[in-house]
Amino acid sequence: MTDAASSEPVTVLSQDELNRLTDQLIEKLKTVYDPEIPVDIYELGLIYKVDVSDEKDVAIDMTLTAPGCPVAGEMPGWVRDAVMEIPGLKSCNVELVFEPPWDASRMSDEAKLQLNMF
């Protein structure tokens, strides 16, 4: 007896493909800006986790510079829309998380330089 589910080919992303997707994800995340700070959300350190499944489903955990951010309801959609511009992705789910709390130590050196925080 054969199980119908086991007859489906199992797709596994190659390391090269995962590296390419990672570069594309970073590129797209860098197109989304916190409207109150002239730095993209990736360099600000607002992206906590990005997972890509073998089926090309993307799951992102992100935070905000402050829980009361006026665009809290909109920013996850901006991130999802930017990521879904990458050809071949199946889906993108963006979750807002607040643990651990964001602070300026999460910013890249590039962001600190842009904001004169050195």
Side-chain angles (χ1 to χ4, degrees):
M1 258 186 355
T2 61
D3 184 341
S6 66
S7 65
E8 293 180 23
V10 176
T11 304
V12 178
L13 288 178
S14 69
Q15 190 60 51
D16 285 343
E17 187 169 13
L18 184 57
N19 291 344
R20 182 184 55 77
L21 275 174
T22 299
D23 291 345
Q24 289 177 314
L25 285 163
I26 292 169
E27 181 182 320
K28 290 300 181 182
L29 291 170
K30 286 183 169 195
T31 67
V32 181
Y33 284 76
D34 183 317
E36 297 177 330
I37 304 171
V39 177
D40 68 77
I41 62 170
Y42 184 82
E43 296 298 339
L44 279 174
L46 298 181
I47 302 299
Y48 282 1
K49 180 176 80 171
V50 178
D51 287 330
V52 180
S53 73
D54 287 332
E55 294 78 26
K56 296 187 180 177
D57 293 302
V58 178
I60 297 173
D61 286 353
M62 69 170 291
T63 195
L64 304 170
T65 54
C69 178
V71 295
E74 298 170 57
M75 196 174 291
W78 298 344
V79 171
R80 183 175 29 264
D81 291 346
V83 166
M84 288 306 296
E85 290 177 3
I86 299 171
L89 292 184
K90 184 176 171 189
S91 69
C92 179
N93 183 50
V94 180
E95 292 290 327
L96 276 180
V97 297
F98 296 99
E99 289 297 323
W102 179 87
D103 64 48
S105 69
R106 296 184 172 278
M107 293 178 6
S108 70
D109 288 344
E110 180 180 318
K112 290 175 184 174
L113 186 62
Q114 284 182 281
L115 298 172
N116 294 319
M117 294 182 70
F118 276 113

